[in-house]
Amino acid sequence: MATKKPVISVILDDDVLKEVEDYQYGKRIPSRSKALNDIIKLGIEQLRKEEKKGEGE
């Protein structure tokens, strides 16, 4: 049974789209959607690390 996931639309600058596509092709990710999902998760993870680092100061 398929799960229903939220669908969103985003508008990207050309240079950002190129970075996403470079990441996608470099990692051999089959879809742009999956690449964006991975990039967002990595960004969130990095923000959390920085927040924890800031709390320790």
Side-chain angles (χ1 to χ4, degrees):
M1 177 169 45
T3 60
K4 185 165 177 123
K5 295 182 181 181
V7 176
I8 63 169
S9 296
V10 296
I11 299 171
L12 302 175
D13 293 333
D14 290 339
D15 58 327
V16 175
L17 178 59
K18 181 175 182 335
E19 292 287 339
V20 170
E21 290 176 338
D22 288 349
Y23 177 84
Q24 176 187 354
Y25 300 135
K27 299 284 187 180
R28 297 181 182 265
I29 298 171
S31 71
R32 189 182 292 163
S33 179
K34 171 80 168 103
L36 280 168
N37 196 50
D38 289 356
I39 290 167
I40 291 167
K41 285 180 180 179
L42 288 167
I44 291 169
E45 183 180 316
Q46 184 63 35
L47 287 171
R48 287 184 178 150
K49 286 179 185 177
E50 290 176 11
E51 286 173 355
K52 285 182 182 179
K53 182 180 175 185
E55 290 174 4
E57 293 178 3

